[in-house]
Amino acid sequence: MFASLRVRNYRLFFTGQVISNIGTWMQRIAQDWLVFTLSGNNPIALGIAVALQFAPTLFLSLWAGVLADRVDKRRMLAWIQAAACSQAVVLGVLDITGLVALWQVYVLCFTLGITASLEVPTRQSFVAEMVGRDQIANAVALNSSIFNMARIVGPAIAGFAITWIGTGWLFIANALSTVAVIAGLLMMNPDKLFRVAAVPREKGQLVEGLRYVRRRSDLMTVMVLVLFVSTFGITYFSSLPIVAANVFHTAADGYGLLSTLVAVGTFTGAVMSARRGTKGRPRVRLMLVSAFFLGVFELITAFMPTYLTFGLGLIPLGFATMTFLNTANALVQTSVSPEMRGRVMGLYVLVLIGGNPIGGPMVGWMADAFGGRSPFYIGGAVSALAAVVCAVVLIRRGGVSWPVQRGFGLRVLKRAKV
């Protein structure tokens, strides 16, 4: 399960990510709660903050993928982390000194979105350079496991720390945590990286990447399904503070506990994905089934009557979410040409995150108009339906079959393995 950690460069990266991701989730919880407090518990204001943070992805992620194919990814990631550190410091100082206003948080959400839109495609494509093609699936899953371990620890710390010391010091803590990532990147041995020759700068490289994906029906299926599930289904992360405050009437610690319960499921899903990552390439069947059950679990959770049962329902929902995301990511990374990886991952990040500028305000509007539970049951229905439609399309194209004699499940045909 920990095969990728045999690679020293990846161990350095892994260690830095453990520390930094805890800080990132502490800031995520603190930022959402700060916006909610400054706006008088207005769910629409929270949706606007989410939209501003993810809007730059719509415009920059594709170009970030092109850039990642052209430059030294390790150095680029170090500069991006330095920029993110500066933004966290500014927000923390404004909050601690009592000068923070909602519009300032909005501006910093937008600038943070700019750095994220550059960082995510670069980081995703850099994983292959650290461990090589054979270990990509395992490394992607391990990366998700630390991300979701941080999602357990970070919100748990933040939920209680906010009530003790306020939100400002959590932003400073996140700024300090990015130093671990920068240090790990600088300590790597560049000669041990599995580098692909940098793509020379030419006109039409962005369009070339889009055409490459368009010609691949397997990649198109992944992109379409990820777009619908991330835009409508996985927006429940943004709905949790609304449910905590407006449905179950809890404080910041109640929100932190709900986030932690989600993370228990996502961490378990990431660990199981890491085990599968050592047993061969991922399959489209698992992606489709996990997307369907993500929708089903989200629908069930939406109608849980009490805070406790709602929180427990978040655990299988988190498990299905991480199984889906890890499988989709690994499918893309293991099936693309190395010289195209940056551009394809740029498109993947666009469909994964780019729907948030729509999903964020949509969640706020639905919660305000139909109640705090509505983003859960609407998002769950859309996710389950999208999985069924994509499965039907693949079956009609002859890419998958339904083996009745083996019971429930889709089987990928040999000529369409992805």
Side-chain angles (χ1 to χ4, degrees):
M1 188 172 71
F2 301 102
S4 299
L5 292 178
R6 299 191 185 106
V7 181
R8 179 180 179 273
N9 284 341
Y10 185 73
R11 284 200 306 272
L12 291 170
F13 177 81
F14 184 91
T15 303
Q17 289 292 310
V18 169
I19 299 171
S20 179
N21 277 311
I22 292 175
T24 297
W25 275 102
M26 289 168 62
Q27 170 155 328
R28 171 75 181 270
I29 300 299
Q31 179 182 288
D32 287 351
W33 198 256
L34 179 61
V35 169
F36 216 46
T37 301
L38 291 174
S39 65
N41 291 4
N42 187 343
I44 295 178
L46 185 60
I48 292 172
V50 172
L52 288 171
Q53 187 164 333
F54 292 106
T57 301
L58 293 173
F59 309 103
L60 297 177
S61 64
L62 290 177
W63 292 107
V66 174
L67 186 62
D69 284 335
R70 293 177 179 173
V71 302
D72 186 322
K73 298 178 182 64
R74 183 175 67 97
R75 292 181 180 177
M76 183 175 173
L77 284 172
W79 283 108
I80 292 171
Q81 289 296 324
C85 176
S86 301
Q87 291 159 353
V89 168
V90 171
L91 183 55
V93 170
L94 286 172
D95 194 4
I96 292 169
T97 58
L99 300 175
V100 68
L102 187 59
W103 71 267
Q104 294 168 337
V105 182
Y106 283 163
V107 170
L108 289 167
C109 283
F110 185 75
T111 57
L112 184 62
I114 293 174
T115 58
S117 64
L118 298 174
E119 190 264 349
V120 177
T122 308
R123 172 169 49 82
Q124 296 276 13
S125 56
F126 186 55
V127 171
E129 289 194 3
M130 287 185 286
V131 301
R133 185 181 181 89
D134 293 341
Q135 296 287 354
I136 289 177
N138 180 252
V140 167
L142 283 177
N143 221 31
S144 296
S145 70
I146 59 174
F147 180 80
N148 289 286
M149 181 195 68
R151 186 178 281 166
I152 296 173
V153 178
I157 295 173
F160 293 102
I162 290 172
T163 63
W164 293 339
I165 59 176
T167 53
W169 289 107
L170 299 185
F171 301 131
I172 300 298
N174 180 48
L176 293 175
S177 73
T178 61
V179 176
V181 180
I182 297 172
L185 290 167
L186 295 179
M187 291 170 62
M188 287 183 182
N189 184 351
D191 295 332
K192 297 294 185 179
L193 295 174
F194 296 83
R195 284 178 169 169
V196 179
V199 178
R201 182 172 182 174
E202 296 177 355
K203 291 183 177 180
Q205 289 178 325
L206 176 59
V207 176
E208 181 185 9
L210 296 176
R211 287 175 177 168
Y212 176 83
V213 175
R214 180 66 184 87
R215 292 192 296 265
R216 295 277 303 275
S217 60
D218 55 339
L219 292 178
M220 282 295 297
T221 301
V222 176
M223 299 297 181
V224 170
L225 186 55
V226 168
L227 175 63
F228 276 92
V229 173
S230 63
T231 301
F232 296 95
I234 307 182
T235 52
Y236 64 81
F237 290 113
S238 300
S239 306
L240 286 182
I242 300 172
V243 173
N246 292 359
V247 176
F248 295 111
H249 309 291
T250 64
D253 54 349
Y255 169 38
L257 179 58
L258 290 181
S259 298
T260 301
L261 289 170
V262 173
V264 170
T266 53
F267 178 71
T268 306
V271 169
M272 294 302 296
S273 296
R275 290 177 63 86
R276 285 192 298 270
T278 63
K279 299 177 181 179
R281 296 177 61 191
R283 293 288 181 260
V284 68
R285 174 180 66 179
L286 181 60
M287 181 190 69
L288 293 169
V289 172
S290 59
F292 175 77
F293 279 104
L294 185 160
V296 171
F297 290 139
E298 192 168 4
L299 271 168
I300 294 172
T301 303
F303 297 102
M304 289 296 182
T306 67
Y307 177 84
L308 177 60
T309 56
F310 183 90
L312 292 176
L314 294 174
I315 297 176
L317 174 57
F319 182 91
T321 298
M322 194 46 52
T323 302
F324 168 70
L325 290 178
N326 277 349
T327 306
N329 189 310
L331 276 168
V332 173
Q333 293 226 46
T334 56
S335 60
V336 299
S337 302
E339 66 275 7
M340 284 287 182
R341 184 170 287 117
R343 279 165 281 183
V344 174
M345 292 311 298
L347 178 59
Y348 177 81
V349 171
L350 175 62
V351 299
L352 176 64
I353 302 177
N356 282 277
I358 300 172
M362 178 187 66
V363 164
W365 172 77
M366 286 190 298
D368 188 55
F370 306 112
R373 298 175 182 268
S374 60
F376 277 80
Y377 59 75
I378 294 174
V382 171
S383 298
L385 180 61
V388 171
V389 171
C390 285
V392 170
V393 169
L394 285 176
I395 291 171
R396 288 184 174 179
R397 289 181 176 179
V400 295
S401 64
W402 189 278
V404 177
Q405 71 277 13
R406 296 186 183 182
F408 181 82
L410 291 169
R411 177 172 55 87
V412 182
L413 297 179
K414 289 183 178 181
R415 58 189 172 89
K417 282 185 178 179
V418 292

